[in-house]
Every structure is written in structure tokens, then in C-alpha cells.
Amino acid sequence: MAPALAYDNPELLPDTQTAIIDLAKSLSARQEESLDSKLNDFEAETGWKLRVLTQYDQTPGRAVKDFWGLDDRSIMLVADPRGGNLLNFSVGDAVYDLLPRTFWIELQTRYGNQFFVRENGEDNSILSALESIQGCLRQGGCNVVPGLPQEQWVLTLITSIVGGVICGFAAHPRKPGQIFAWQWVLIFSPLWGILFFAFGIGPVVTRTSDWLPLTRNVAGFLIGALVAFLTPILGNQASSET
């Protein structure tokens, strides 16, 4: 819940019932009209109540709870640009069974951060967050926010490559006649396994069904492992020739 909602200012509430109170004018009139219709249709279809409050200098505060009849099956998105993050969420207890607290933290940091808002606008920040919420509720819940942003994929690719490099160095033979040091690969498996599977593959397969980022991460791991495995061998050969 946004801190400003600790106050009670009912005179800022509209005279007619609406799913959106846009005090900060984050949405255009057309966007507000379309979104209001979509949120009402979504509530009639699923029983989940989604509401949007944008605020800046003034806020109706706690008065919105009675105005909208917020309950355990309600979600209120509060957009307030005065903080470090545009988005806050007030979530009913029943929602957490389908969308855990980690989902809301990721949703807030992905679409409410200053970089996303600066590049896409407050309106797209709000609409993107609502789209993710609706999609997850329709499919019966999500543990993570769907979709894989470019910057997050780059991070998974880097961890995949680093995991491959560690695996490759561990596999380098250390005894005469040995081709592959599988014992060392097993010893270091907790390290390269966490980097590759937990941080390289896990975030990809849980957020998108697209095969391209997964294929690139696997290729990055294999290339990193191959380079790390062959580098000491090539170095030894060069030394023996000189």
C-alpha cells in the first residue's frame, strides 16, 4: 500500500463509480475509458477486482477502500511518481495463493523502475503491469512475472558463460594420459551448476517459452567450457614447441 493512503480524503473521489481514479493524469482519456471497460469485463469474467489509482500532490487515501469495496479478491495498483518506484500494490489475501509476494516485487521493479518509466511512459508502466496481472490470474497463477526483458536475458547469458568456463577449467586433465578430469567436474558442480542451471537456465524457462534465449545460453555455456578446457592444452603445446 502506498504510504499516502494512510490519509482519508473522500472529497477527491469521483461522483460516479469507475475502476480508475487518475488524479495524476497518467492516462489519456481514451486509455482511461478503454481500461475501465476492460477491468470491469475482467471482473465479470473472473471475479477478480482490479482497480487503478494514480496520485501526486493529493490522494483520497483510505476512502478508496469503501468506494471500491476492496476485499480479499481485490488488487489496487497505486501509481505515484514521487517515490523511487512508480508502482505500488495493495493486494487482497486471496490473491497471494496465486501470485506470491515475490511476484509483486518483481512486477514492481520491472515496470515501475525509473528507467522503464522514462523510456515507456507512466501509462505503459501501468498498462504493462495490469496486463501481466490479468494474464497470470487467467491462467491460474504465476510464481514469476511472464516475459524476459533484454537486460535480464543478458545477465542469464553471462552467468551461463561463467558457469561453462568454471566447468571447462575443472575438466582440464591433471594426470599424464588423462583426457577428462570428471572428478573435478563433479567437485565443482555445485558452483557451475548453480550458475548455469539456477541463474542461466531457470529464469529463462520460467518466464518464456521462446527457444532462442535458451539455445543461446546453452551455446554460451558450451563455448565457455570448450574455451576454458582447450586454453591450457594449447598453452602447453606452444610452450613445448618453443
Side-chain angles (χ1 to χ4, degrees):
M1 184 73 73
L5 296 186
Y7 301 100
D8 196 357
N9 205 2
E11 61 270 19
L12 293 175
L13 296 173
D15 296 330
T16 59
Q17 189 61 232
T18 174
I20 305 165
I21 302 176
D22 189 15
L23 299 176
K25 303 302 179 185
S26 300
L27 303 170
S28 67
R30 179 174 296 181
Q31 285 175 320
E32 184 175 347
E33 181 181 357
S34 175
L35 182 59
D36 183 72
S37 176
K38 290 179 180 178
L39 294 183
N40 286 320
D41 291 343
F42 181 78
E43 182 179 359
E45 173 193 346
T46 65
W48 296 104
K49 181 183 295 185
L50 272 64
R51 297 293 183 263
V52 178
L53 169 65
T54 74
Q55 59 189 23
Y56 189 67
D57 291 327
Q58 294 179 307
T59 174
R62 294 177 298 181
V64 297
K65 183 175 181 180
D66 293 330
F67 177 77
W68 278 327
L70 300 178
D71 54 23
D72 288 345
R73 293 179 62 84
S74 301
I75 300 167
M76 181 172 63
L77 182 154
V78 181
D80 190 333
R82 291 173 295 179
N85 193 293
L86 175 69
L87 302 180
N88 286 281
F89 301 94
S90 177
V91 182
D93 291 339
V95 181
Y96 287 118
D97 294 334
L98 302 181
L99 305 176
R101 296 182 186 277
T102 52
F103 172 90
W104 298 103
I105 295 173
E106 182 179 352
L107 187 68
Q108 182 186 45
T109 54
R110 179 182 297 188
Y111 295 122
N113 70 80
Q114 295 179 357
F115 299 103
F116 185 93
V117 175
R118 187 182 304 125
E119 293 181 4
N120 300 277
E122 292 182 9
D123 55 344
N124 285 317
S125 174
I126 294 169
L127 295 175
S128 297
L130 290 172
E131 184 178 352
S132 292
I133 296 170
Q134 289 175 303
C136 285
L137 289 175
R138 279 196 173 100
Q139 71 182 39
C142 296
N143 289 321
V144 296
V145 178
L148 187 67
Q150 179 72 14
E151 61 274 11
Q152 188 174 20
W153 170 72
V154 170
L155 182 61
T156 65
L157 177 62
I158 293 173
T159 57
S160 297
I161 295 174
V162 173
V165 170
I166 295 173
C167 182
F169 274 123
H172 181 68
R174 292 165 175 78
K175 299 178 181 178
Q178 188 180 39
I179 299 176
F180 182 83
W182 60 268
Q183 299 95 332
W184 285 98
V185 172
L186 292 179
I187 291 174
F188 281 92
S189 61
L191 180 56
W192 64 260
I194 289 175
L195 288 170
F196 178 51
F197 292 108
F199 298 123
I201 299 300
V204 175
V205 298
T206 56
R207 287 168 174 81
T208 179
S209 57
D210 188 0
W211 283 93
L212 184 58
L214 178 62
T215 302
R216 288 175 175 173
N217 284 13
V218 173
F221 175 84
L222 295 176
I223 292 172
L226 184 62
V227 170
F229 181 77
L230 294 178
T231 298
I233 297 177
L234 296 177
N236 291 337
Q237 288 179 348
S239 300
S240 61
E241 290 177 358
T242 56

PDB file of all heavy atoms in Angstrom, residues 105-134:
ATOM      1  N   ILE A 105       7.028  -8.089  -6.070  1.00  0.00           N
ATOM      2  CA  ILE A 105       8.304  -7.384  -6.012  1.00  0.00           C
ATOM      3  C   ILE A 105       8.924  -7.302  -7.406  1.00  0.00           C
ATOM      4  O   ILE A 105       9.405  -6.245  -7.836  1.00  0.00           O
ATOM      5  CB  ILE A 105       9.263  -8.091  -5.035  1.00  0.00           C
ATOM      6  CG1 ILE A 105       8.718  -8.003  -3.607  1.00  0.00           C
ATOM      7  CG2 ILE A 105      10.656  -7.481  -5.107  1.00  0.00           C
ATOM      8  CD1 ILE A 105       9.504  -8.816  -2.601  1.00  0.00           C
ATOM      9  N   GLU A 106       8.892  -8.429  -8.134  1.00  0.00           N
ATOM     10  CA  GLU A 106       9.447  -8.434  -9.488  1.00  0.00           C
ATOM     11  C   GLU A 106       8.630  -7.548 -10.420  1.00  0.00           C
ATOM     12  O   GLU A 106       9.178  -6.834 -11.268  1.00  0.00           O
ATOM     13  CB  GLU A 106       9.495  -9.863 -10.037  1.00  0.00           C
ATOM     14  CG  GLU A 106      10.116  -9.948 -11.424  1.00  0.00           C
ATOM     15  CD  GLU A 106      10.178 -11.362 -11.962  1.00  0.00           C
ATOM     16  OE1 GLU A 106       9.884 -12.314 -11.213  1.00  0.00           O
ATOM     17  OE2 GLU A 106      10.517 -11.513 -13.156  1.00  0.00           O
ATOM     18  N   LEU A 107       7.307  -7.574 -10.267  1.00  0.00           N
ATOM     19  CA  LEU A 107       6.440  -6.750 -11.115  1.00  0.00           C
ATOM     20  C   LEU A 107       6.729  -5.270 -10.891  1.00  0.00           C
ATOM     21  O   LEU A 107       6.799  -4.473 -11.844  1.00  0.00           O
ATOM     22  CB  LEU A 107       4.976  -7.059 -10.797  1.00  0.00           C
ATOM     23  CG  LEU A 107       3.926  -6.410 -11.699  1.00  0.00           C
ATOM     24  CD1 LEU A 107       3.981  -7.000 -13.101  1.00  0.00           C
ATOM     25  CD2 LEU A 107       2.518  -6.602 -11.111  1.00  0.00           C
ATOM     26  N   GLN A 108       6.888  -4.896  -9.642  1.00  0.00           N
ATOM     27  CA  GLN A 108       7.174  -3.504  -9.304  1.00  0.00           C
ATOM     28  C   GLN A 108       8.518  -3.058  -9.864  1.00  0.00           C
ATOM     29  O   GLN A 108       8.634  -1.985 -10.463  1.00  0.00           O
ATOM     30  CB  GLN A 108       7.149  -3.333  -7.789  1.00  0.00           C
ATOM     31  CG  GLN A 108       7.385  -1.891  -7.338  1.00  0.00           C
ATOM     32  CD  GLN A 108       7.500  -1.794  -5.828  1.00  0.00           C
ATOM     33  OE1 GLN A 108       8.180  -2.599  -5.189  1.00  0.00           O
ATOM     34  NE2 GLN A 108       6.830  -0.812  -5.245  1.00  0.00           N
ATOM     35  N   THR A 109       9.543  -3.880  -9.694  1.00  0.00           N
ATOM     36  CA  THR A 109      10.880  -3.498 -10.150  1.00  0.00           C
ATOM     37  C   THR A 109      11.006  -3.529 -11.671  1.00  0.00           C
ATOM     38  O   THR A 109      11.785  -2.778 -12.242  1.00  0.00           O
ATOM     39  CB  THR A 109      11.940  -4.427  -9.537  1.00  0.00           C
ATOM     40  OG1 THR A 109      11.608  -5.803  -9.826  1.00  0.00           O
ATOM     41  CG2 THR A 109      12.005  -4.261  -8.034  1.00  0.00           C
ATOM     42  N   ARG A 110      10.235  -4.377 -12.345  1.00  0.00           N
ATOM     43  CA  ARG A 110      10.342  -4.451 -13.807  1.00  0.00           C
ATOM     44  C   ARG A 110       9.652  -3.282 -14.495  1.00  0.00           C
ATOM     45  O   ARG A 110      10.231  -2.645 -15.379  1.00  0.00           O
ATOM     46  CB  ARG A 110       9.752  -5.761 -14.336  1.00  0.00           C
ATOM     47  CG  ARG A 110       9.837  -5.851 -15.874  1.00  0.00           C
ATOM     48  CD  ARG A 110       9.220  -7.107 -16.429  1.00  0.00           C
ATOM     49  NE  ARG A 110       9.894  -8.308 -15.988  1.00  0.00           N
ATOM     50  CZ  ARG A 110       9.614  -9.528 -16.466  1.00  0.00           C
ATOM     51  NH1 ARG A 110       8.664  -9.670 -17.382  1.00  0.00           N
ATOM     52  NH2 ARG A 110      10.256 -10.580 -16.020  1.00  0.00           N
ATOM     53  N   TYR A 111       8.418  -2.982 -14.101  1.00  0.00           N
ATOM     54  CA  TYR A 111       7.637  -1.972 -14.817  1.00  0.00           C
ATOM     55  C   TYR A 111       7.566  -0.619 -14.113  1.00  0.00           C
ATOM     56  O   TYR A 111       7.149   0.362 -14.730  1.00  0.00           O
ATOM     57  CB  TYR A 111       6.212  -2.489 -15.045  1.00  0.00           C
ATOM     58  CG  TYR A 111       6.146  -3.683 -15.955  1.00  0.00           C
ATOM     59  CD1 TYR A 111       5.589  -4.882 -15.526  1.00  0.00           C
ATOM     60  CD2 TYR A 111       6.655  -3.623 -17.248  1.00  0.00           C
ATOM     61  CE1 TYR A 111       5.524  -5.989 -16.365  1.00  0.00           C
ATOM     62  CE2 TYR A 111       6.603  -4.718 -18.095  1.00  0.00           C
ATOM     63  CZ  TYR A 111       6.032  -5.897 -17.649  1.00  0.00           C
ATOM     64  OH  TYR A 111       5.977  -6.997 -18.479  1.00  0.00           O
ATOM     65  N   GLY A 112       7.958  -0.567 -12.848  1.00  0.00           N
ATOM     66  CA  GLY A 112       7.865   0.692 -12.121  1.00  0.00           C
ATOM     67  C   GLY A 112       9.172   1.415 -11.943  1.00  0.00           C
ATOM     68  O   GLY A 112       9.191   2.536 -11.431  1.00  0.00           O
ATOM     69  N   ASN A 113      10.291   0.789 -12.368  1.00  0.00           N
ATOM     70  CA  ASN A 113      11.576   1.450 -12.168  1.00  0.00           C
ATOM     71  C   ASN A 113      11.702   2.690 -13.060  1.00  0.00           C
ATOM     72  O   ASN A 113      11.046   2.816 -14.091  1.00  0.00           O
ATOM     73  CB  ASN A 113      12.726   0.469 -12.430  1.00  0.00           C
ATOM     74  CG  ASN A 113      12.866   0.114 -13.898  1.00  0.00           C
ATOM     75  OD1 ASN A 113      13.426   0.868 -14.701  1.00  0.00           O
ATOM     76  ND2 ASN A 113      12.356  -1.064 -14.269  1.00  0.00           N
ATOM     77  N   GLN A 114      12.558   3.605 -12.675  1.00  0.00           N
ATOM     78  CA  GLN A 114      12.663   4.896 -13.333  1.00  0.00           C
ATOM     79  C   GLN A 114      13.093   4.770 -14.791  1.00  0.00           C
ATOM     80  O   GLN A 114      12.669   5.563 -15.639  1.00  0.00           O
ATOM     81  CB  GLN A 114      13.642   5.788 -12.567  1.00  0.00           C
ATOM     82  CG  GLN A 114      13.161   6.156 -11.168  1.00  0.00           C
ATOM     83  CD  GLN A 114      14.157   7.028 -10.430  1.00  0.00           C
ATOM     84  OE1 GLN A 114      15.234   7.323 -10.931  1.00  0.00           O
ATOM     85  NE2 GLN A 114      13.787   7.448  -9.219  1.00  0.00           N
ATOM     86  N   PHE A 115      13.930   3.786 -15.116  1.00  0.00           N
ATOM     87  CA  PHE A 115      14.394   3.621 -16.491  1.00  0.00           C
ATOM     88  C   PHE A 115      13.244   3.192 -17.402  1.00  0.00           C
ATOM     89  O   PHE A 115      13.097   3.710 -18.513  1.00  0.00           O
ATOM     90  CB  PHE A 115      15.532   2.601 -16.537  1.00  0.00           C
ATOM     91  CG  PHE A 115      16.735   3.004 -15.737  1.00  0.00           C
ATOM     92  CD1 PHE A 115      16.985   2.429 -14.495  1.00  0.00           C
ATOM     93  CD2 PHE A 115      17.609   3.971 -16.210  1.00  0.00           C
ATOM     94  CE1 PHE A 115      18.083   2.807 -13.750  1.00  0.00           C
ATOM     95  CE2 PHE A 115      18.721   4.355 -15.469  1.00  0.00           C
ATOM     96  CZ  PHE A 115      18.954   3.779 -14.248  1.00  0.00           C
ATOM     97  N   PHE A 116      12.427   2.237 -16.935  1.00  0.00           N
ATOM     98  CA  PHE A 116      11.296   1.789 -17.753  1.00  0.00           C
ATOM     99  C   PHE A 116      10.300   2.931 -17.932  1.00  0.00           C
ATOM    100  O   PHE A 116       9.800   3.154 -19.044  1.00  0.00           O
ATOM    101  CB  PHE A 116      10.614   0.589 -17.087  1.00  0.00           C
ATOM    102  CG  PHE A 116       9.512  -0.007 -17.923  1.00  0.00           C
ATOM    103  CD1 PHE A 116       9.781  -1.055 -18.788  1.00  0.00           C
ATOM    104  CD2 PHE A 116       8.208   0.480 -17.860  1.00  0.00           C
ATOM    105  CE1 PHE A 116       8.773  -1.607 -19.575  1.00  0.00           C
ATOM    106  CE2 PHE A 116       7.203  -0.054 -18.635  1.00  0.00           C
ATOM    107  CZ  PHE A 116       7.490  -1.103 -19.505  1.00  0.00           C
ATOM    108  N   VAL A 117      10.018   3.664 -16.868  1.00  0.00           N
ATOM    109  CA  VAL A 117       9.055   4.760 -16.948  1.00  0.00           C
ATOM    110  C   VAL A 117       9.564   5.858 -17.863  1.00  0.00           C
ATOM    111  O   VAL A 117       8.809   6.431 -18.664  1.00  0.00           O
ATOM    112  CB  VAL A 117       8.756   5.313 -15.543  1.00  0.00           C
ATOM    113  CG1 VAL A 117       7.852   6.527 -15.624  1.00  0.00           C
ATOM    114  CG2 VAL A 117       8.111   4.234 -14.676  1.00  0.00           C
ATOM    115  N   ARG A 118      10.853   6.150 -17.795  1.00  0.00           N
ATOM    116  CA  ARG A 118      11.424   7.207 -18.626  1.00  0.00           C
ATOM    117  C   ARG A 118      11.347   6.839 -20.110  1.00  0.00           C
ATOM    118  O   ARG A 118      11.071   7.692 -20.961  1.00  0.00           O
ATOM    119  CB  ARG A 118      12.873   7.459 -18.227  1.00  0.00           C
ATOM    120  CG  ARG A 118      13.511   8.663 -18.932  1.00  0.00           C
ATOM    121  CD  ARG A 118      14.962   8.836 -18.526  1.00  0.00           C
ATOM    122  NE  ARG A 118      15.099   8.967 -17.085  1.00  0.00           N
ATOM    123  CZ  ARG A 118      15.873   8.195 -16.338  1.00  0.00           C
ATOM    124  NH1 ARG A 118      16.558   7.205 -16.894  1.00  0.00           N
ATOM    125  NH2 ARG A 118      15.946   8.383 -15.039  1.00  0.00           N
ATOM    126  N   GLU A 119      11.584   5.571 -20.426  1.00  0.00           N
ATOM    127  CA  GLU A 119      11.604   5.153 -21.824  1.00  0.00           C
ATOM    128  C   GLU A 119      10.211   4.858 -22.379  1.00  0.00           C
ATOM    129  O   GLU A 119       9.975   5.014 -23.579  1.00  0.00           O
ATOM    130  CB  GLU A 119      12.483   3.902 -21.979  1.00  0.00           C
ATOM    131  CG  GLU A 119      13.960   4.156 -21.712  1.00  0.00           C
ATOM    132  CD  GLU A 119      14.795   2.900 -21.890  1.00  0.00           C
ATOM    133  OE1 GLU A 119      14.210   1.861 -22.288  1.00  0.00           O
ATOM    134  OE2 GLU A 119      16.013   2.944 -21.642  1.00  0.00           O
ATOM    135  N   ASN A 120       9.290   4.425 -21.513  1.00  0.00           N
ATOM    136  CA  ASN A 120       7.985   3.970 -21.997  1.00  0.00           C
ATOM    137  C   ASN A 120       6.804   4.811 -21.525  1.00  0.00           C
ATOM    138  O   ASN A 120       5.709   4.682 -22.066  1.00  0.00           O
ATOM    139  CB  ASN A 120       7.756   2.512 -21.580  1.00  0.00           C
ATOM    140  CG  ASN A 120       8.811   1.581 -22.139  1.00  0.00           C
ATOM    141  OD1 ASN A 120       8.737   1.134 -23.266  1.00  0.00           O
ATOM    142  ND2 ASN A 120       9.821   1.273 -21.327  1.00  0.00           N
ATOM    143  N   GLY A 121       7.016   5.645 -20.520  1.00  0.00           N
ATOM    144  CA  GLY A 121       5.940   6.476 -20.017  1.00  0.00           C
ATOM    145  C   GLY A 121       5.182   5.827 -18.872  1.00  0.00           C
ATOM    146  O   GLY A 121       5.169   4.593 -18.725  1.00  0.00           O
ATOM    147  N   GLU A 122       4.544   6.660 -18.050  1.00  0.00           N
ATOM    148  CA  GLU A 122       3.778   6.156 -16.918  1.00  0.00           C
ATOM    149  C   GLU A 122       2.593   5.311 -17.384  1.00  0.00           C
ATOM    150  O   GLU A 122       2.234   4.326 -16.728  1.00  0.00           O
ATOM    151  CB  GLU A 122       3.279   7.326 -16.061  1.00  0.00           C
ATOM    152  CG  GLU A 122       4.384   8.080 -15.347  1.00  0.00           C
ATOM    153  CD  GLU A 122       3.849   9.202 -14.480  1.00  0.00           C
ATOM    154  OE1 GLU A 122       2.602   9.270 -14.300  1.00  0.00           O
ATOM    155  OE2 GLU A 122       4.651  10.006 -13.962  1.00  0.00           O
ATOM    156  N   ASP A 123       1.983   5.699 -18.485  1.00  0.00           N
ATOM    157  CA  ASP A 123       0.822   4.955 -18.969  1.00  0.00           C
ATOM    158  C   ASP A 123       1.183   3.519 -19.327  1.00  0.00           C
ATOM    159  O   ASP A 123       0.490   2.568 -18.940  1.00  0.00           O
ATOM    160  CB  ASP A 123       0.185   5.661 -20.166  1.00  0.00           C
ATOM    161  CG  ASP A 123       1.178   5.922 -21.293  1.00  0.00           C
ATOM    162  OD1 ASP A 123       2.403   5.840 -21.067  1.00  0.00           O
ATOM    163  OD2 ASP A 123       0.715   6.217 -22.423  1.00  0.00           O
ATOM    164  N   ASN A 124       2.299   3.325 -20.042  1.00  0.00           N
ATOM    165  CA  ASN A 124       2.707   1.967 -20.415  1.00  0.00           C
ATOM    166  C   ASN A 124       3.191   1.168 -19.212  1.00  0.00           C
ATOM    167  O   ASN A 124       3.059  -0.058 -19.186  1.00  0.00           O
ATOM    168  CB  ASN A 124       3.797   2.013 -21.477  1.00  0.00           C
ATOM    169  CG  ASN A 124       3.257   2.364 -22.850  1.00  0.00           C
ATOM    170  OD1 ASN A 124       2.220   1.859 -23.261  1.00  0.00           O
ATOM    171  ND2 ASN A 124       3.940   3.257 -23.553  1.00  0.00           N
ATOM    172  N   SER A 125       3.746   1.846 -18.223  1.00  0.00           N
ATOM    173  CA  SER A 125       4.129   1.164 -16.994  1.00  0.00           C
ATOM    174  C   SER A 125       2.899   0.569 -16.319  1.00  0.00           C
ATOM    175  O   SER A 125       2.891  -0.604 -15.903  1.00  0.00           O
ATOM    176  CB  SER A 125       4.840   2.137 -16.053  1.00  0.00           C
ATOM    177  OG  SER A 125       5.103   1.535 -14.803  1.00  0.00           O
ATOM    178  N   ILE A 126       1.845   1.364 -16.223  1.00  0.00           N
ATOM    179  CA  ILE A 126       0.602   0.906 -15.595  1.00  0.00           C
ATOM    180  C   ILE A 126      -0.050  -0.200 -16.419  1.00  0.00           C
ATOM    181  O   ILE A 126      -0.438  -1.251 -15.887  1.00  0.00           O
ATOM    182  CB  ILE A 126      -0.361   2.097 -15.433  1.00  0.00           C
ATOM    183  CG1 ILE A 126       0.215   3.109 -14.437  1.00  0.00           C
ATOM    184  CG2 ILE A 126      -1.739   1.633 -14.978  1.00  0.00           C
ATOM    185  CD1 ILE A 126      -0.527   4.430 -14.400  1.00  0.00           C
ATOM    186  N   LEU A 127      -0.156   0.020 -17.727  1.00  0.00           N
ATOM    187  CA  LEU A 127      -0.847  -0.943 -18.591  1.00  0.00           C
ATOM    188  C   LEU A 127      -0.091  -2.266 -18.667  1.00  0.00           C
ATOM    189  O   LEU A 127      -0.704  -3.334 -18.689  1.00  0.00           O
ATOM    190  CB  LEU A 127      -1.015  -0.345 -19.991  1.00  0.00           C
ATOM    191  CG  LEU A 127      -1.913   0.897 -20.084  1.00  0.00           C
ATOM    192  CD1 LEU A 127      -1.895   1.465 -21.487  1.00  0.00           C
ATOM    193  CD2 LEU A 127      -3.335   0.560 -19.654  1.00  0.00           C
ATOM    194  N   SER A 128       1.237  -2.211 -18.706  1.00  0.00           N
ATOM    195  CA  SER A 128       2.038  -3.443 -18.774  1.00  0.00           C
ATOM    196  C   SER A 128       1.892  -4.267 -17.503  1.00  0.00           C
ATOM    197  O   SER A 128       1.777  -5.497 -17.546  1.00  0.00           O
ATOM    198  CB  SER A 128       3.507  -3.105 -19.009  1.00  0.00           C
ATOM    199  OG  SER A 128       3.699  -2.456 -20.245  1.00  0.00           O
ATOM    200  N   ALA A 129       1.905  -3.588 -16.352  1.00  0.00           N
ATOM    201  CA  ALA A 129       1.740  -4.295 -15.082  1.00  0.00           C
ATOM    202  C   ALA A 129       0.368  -4.948 -14.995  1.00  0.00           C
ATOM    203  O   ALA A 129       0.242  -6.115 -14.580  1.00  0.00           O
ATOM    204  CB  ALA A 129       1.947  -3.326 -13.915  1.00  0.00           C
ATOM    205  N   LEU A 130      -0.670  -4.233 -15.400  1.00  0.00           N
ATOM    206  CA  LEU A 130      -2.016  -4.792 -15.366  1.00  0.00           C
ATOM    207  C   LEU A 130      -2.157  -5.969 -16.321  1.00  0.00           C
ATOM    208  O   LEU A 130      -2.831  -6.960 -16.007  1.00  0.00           O
ATOM    209  CB  LEU A 130      -3.035  -3.706 -15.725  1.00  0.00           C
ATOM    210  CG  LEU A 130      -3.241  -2.600 -14.689  1.00  0.00           C
ATOM    211  CD1 LEU A 130      -4.128  -1.500 -15.260  1.00  0.00           C
ATOM    212  CD2 LEU A 130      -3.853  -3.166 -13.410  1.00  0.00           C
ATOM    213  N   GLU A 131      -1.514  -5.881 -17.472  1.00  0.00           N
ATOM    214  CA  GLU A 131      -1.579  -6.985 -18.438  1.00  0.00           C
ATOM    215  C   GLU A 131      -0.961  -8.256 -17.861  1.00  0.00           C
ATOM    216  O   GLU A 131      -1.496  -9.352 -18.037  1.00  0.00           O
ATOM    217  CB  GLU A 131      -0.865  -6.581 -19.724  1.00  0.00           C
ATOM    218  CG  GLU A 131      -0.944  -7.617 -20.831  1.00  0.00           C
ATOM    219  CD  GLU A 131      -0.262  -7.168 -22.102  1.00  0.00           C
ATOM    220  OE1 GLU A 131       0.145  -5.992 -22.190  1.00  0.00           O
ATOM    221  OE2 GLU A 131      -0.120  -7.998 -23.030  1.00  0.00           O
ATOM    222  N   SER A 132       0.161  -8.111 -17.176  1.00  0.00           N
ATOM    223  CA  SER A 132       0.796  -9.270 -16.540  1.00  0.00           C
ATOM    224  C   SER A 132      -0.096  -9.870 -15.466  1.00  0.00           C
ATOM    225  O   SER A 132      -0.235 -11.094 -15.359  1.00  0.00           O
ATOM    226  CB  SER A 132       2.145  -8.867 -15.939  1.00  0.00           C
ATOM    227  OG  SER A 132       3.080  -8.540 -16.932  1.00  0.00           O
ATOM    228  N   ILE A 133      -0.708  -9.015 -14.652  1.00  0.00           N
ATOM    229  CA  ILE A 133      -1.587  -9.494 -13.582  1.00  0.00           C
ATOM    230  C   ILE A 133      -2.776 -10.250 -14.167  1.00  0.00           C
ATOM    231  O   ILE A 133      -3.109 -11.362 -13.723  1.00  0.00           O
ATOM    232  CB  ILE A 133      -2.079  -8.312 -12.726  1.00  0.00           C
ATOM    233  CG1 ILE A 133      -0.903  -7.649 -12.004  1.00  0.00           C
ATOM    234  CG2 ILE A 133      -3.120  -8.783 -11.706  1.00  0.00           C
ATOM    235  CD1 ILE A 133      -1.270  -6.338 -11.330  1.00  0.00           C
ATOM    236  N   GLN A 134      -3.423  -9.676 -15.168  1.00  0.00           N
ATOM    237  CA  GLN A 134      -4.591 -10.313 -15.763  1.00  0.00           C
ATOM    238  C   GLN A 134      -4.225 -11.644 -16.406  1.00  0.00           C
ATOM    239  O   GLN A 134      -4.945 -12.641 -16.262  1.00  0.00           O
ATOM    240  CB  GLN A 134      -5.215  -9.373 -16.799  1.00  0.00           C
ATOM    241  CG  GLN A 134      -5.907  -8.167 -16.188  1.00  0.00           C
ATOM    242  CD  GLN A 134      -6.405  -7.199 -17.240  1.00  0.00           C
ATOM    243  OE1 GLN A 134      -5.641  -6.697 -18.069  1.00  0.00           O
ATOM    244  NE2 GLN A 134      -7.695  -6.912 -17.231  1.00  0.00           N
TER     245      GLN A 134
END
